[in-house]
Amino acid sequence: MSPNGSDRSSRRPMRRVLPQALIAGLVLATATGCTSEDFPRLGMPTPVTEEAPRILALWQGSWAAALATGVLVWGLILWSVFFHRRSRTKVEVPPQNRYNVPIEALYTLVPLIIVSVLFYFTARDQTELLETSDEPDHVINVVGFQWSWAFNYLEPVGVSDEYAQDAEELASIPDRMMDRVPDDADGVYEIGTPADRDPDTGNPGPTLVLPEGETVQFIITSRDVVHSFWVVPFLMKQDAIPGHVNSFEVTPDRQGTFLGKCAEMCGVDHSRMLFNVKVVSPDEYDAYLQELAEKGQTGFAPAGIEQTEAAVNAETNEGRS
């Protein structure tokens, strides 16, 4: 068989496979179940806090950069395939270059620039998202434990003479965080179990109630192993580490009940560490705190273990432990 005949026969399967591959790609792109409103978020849920759009913008920008890089690389590959393929009439091996200094410098420098730009925007947004105010509207201690969550509402509810500043259960929280809690915060709490269900939705786990439009600062602690506090539509999560205290702040801007879960493999029942976040009006939030008080859930659930020496040294002020 002639070389030309061999080339033609080798190209025929490709002509059959290429349309099939294109159809399969089109099916995958259109059968994901995304609506026109979902597609711009690129898989992210709808943000429900004032801070979450910053995370969404970083996610979208990263995808845009990745797509632009991919188009460039794919374009260069296709250009090489089509314009530098072997000629039908010339079968000799083309000149071989051992190295090309400008090209090698380019493909070393460009990735460094890409990574540096992504690092800059990530560090900028992370700094903004972890910034906490000295006088938030509300402070809530989120406690992770095997295999559920407890929520200490460090609020002046007016139902007890035990105040957060003096509570033994909160002794592991450093002074710099407790200083943000009102002096007359007597507080109420909720302790969950994996068998709990949200009364409105039936979703598993305890329910954390937050007020719409008001700043909520979370103080995150753990009693046993590392957990991770993740409210899915907040678009961010924060670890609960034994012997160390983390915090972050959000302002919910949409009412509703949203799913939360532990995002750190913490043991055999990790998958059952689910919870709910219910965003309500400020009046409904105050009524909920009174409801907990009427149930006798006044005071505080134990926040966590004593801070480690490394964690104490990391605090700007000496820890309370």
Side-chain angles (χ1 to χ4, degrees):
M1 181 179 292
S2 68
N4 289 342
S6 176
D7 287 345
R8 284 194 296 271
S9 63
S10 64
R11 285 196 296 269
R12 285 186 190 124
M14 180 59 68
R15 291 174 180 172
R16 291 195 297 267
V17 171
L18 186 58
Q20 296 172 359
L22 292 175
I23 292 172
L26 182 62
V27 170
L28 288 174
T30 57
T32 58
C34 294
T35 66
S36 58
E37 295 180 357
D38 296 331
F39 184 76
R41 296 196 305 273
L42 300 171
M44 282 285 195
T46 302
V48 298
T49 68
E50 293 181 4
E51 294 77 12
R54 176 182 289 272
I55 303 173
L56 179 60
L58 179 63
W59 172 256
Q60 292 168 322
S62 299
W63 269 102
L67 182 61
T69 303
V71 169
L72 175 62
V73 172
W74 298 329
L76 291 173
I77 290 174
L78 293 174
W79 178 76
S80 299
V81 168
F82 285 106
F83 292 98
H84 292 280
R85 67 187 187 277
R86 191 181 68 177
S87 172
R88 297 181 183 180
T89 57
K90 297 179 181 179
V91 296
E92 69 273 8
V93 177
Q96 302 296 301
N97 295 324
R98 295 176 61 88
Y99 55 85
N100 187 307
V101 174
I103 293 297
E104 291 179 7
L106 181 66
Y107 66 61
T108 301
L109 183 61
V110 169
L112 286 175
I113 294 174
I114 294 173
V115 171
S116 298
V117 171
L118 290 175
F119 178 83
Y120 166 76
F121 285 108
T122 301
R124 181 201 66 180
D125 290 347
Q126 178 177 293
T127 300
E128 289 290 331
L129 291 165
L130 295 182
E131 188 72 26
T132 53
S133 57
D134 293 333
E135 296 183 357
D137 296 325
H138 307 277
V139 180
I140 298 175
N141 172 215
V142 176
V143 186
F145 60 91
Q146 296 170 319
W147 308 100
S148 194
W149 302 88
F151 308 117
N152 287 319
Y153 296 87
L154 311 185
E155 302 270 8
V157 184
V159 294
S160 172
D161 293 332
E162 180 183 8
Y163 298 116
Q165 302 288 353
D166 304 318
E168 295 254 348
E169 296 88 349
L170 307 178
S172 60
I173 300 176
D175 285 338
R176 69 180 180 86
M177 294 183 181
M178 291 302 298
D179 287 345
R180 301 164 188 175
V181 178
D183 292 337
D184 57 345
D186 46 350
V188 289
Y189 67 88
E190 175 72 39
I191 298 180
T193 70
D196 288 341
R197 295 278 173 174
D198 181 82
D200 297 326
T201 65
N203 294 329
T207 298
L208 169 64
V209 177
L210 303 177
E212 181 188 17
E214 297 183 353
T215 302
V216 179
Q217 188 171 128
F218 298 111
I219 298 176
I220 304 171
T221 57
S222 170
R223 294 183 193 169
D224 36 50
V225 300
V226 178
H227 303 282
S228 187
F229 177 67
W230 180 26
V231 183
V232 178
F234 284 9
L235 308 189
M236 68 177 295
K237 51 182 178 277
Q238 187 74 275
D239 282 350
I241 303 172
H244 181 78
V245 182
N246 281 326
S247 65
F248 73 96
E249 192 172 291
V250 299
T251 303
D253 60 4
R254 178 176 302 191
Q255 293 191 22
T257 301
F258 311 103
L259 299 179
K261 59 184 71 178
C262 177
E264 189 76 40
M265 179 61 185
C266 55
V268 64
D269 277 342
H270 160 71
S271 62
R272 301 184 68 195
M273 282 196 64
L274 305 174
F275 63 96
N276 305 277
V277 172
K278 185 176 182 179
V279 180
V280 298
S281 69
D283 289 341
E284 290 175 301
Y285 175 76
D286 293 337
Y288 174 74
L289 298 185
Q290 293 296 327
E291 180 183 327
L292 291 179
E294 291 170 4
K295 292 179 181 178
Q297 294 171 216
T298 58
F300 310 97
I305 67 173
E306 182 179 349
Q307 283 204 113
T308 61
E309 184 177 353
V312 172
N313 293 336
E315 302 295 344
T316 55
N317 297 320
E318 184 178 357
R320 301 184 61 187
S321 54

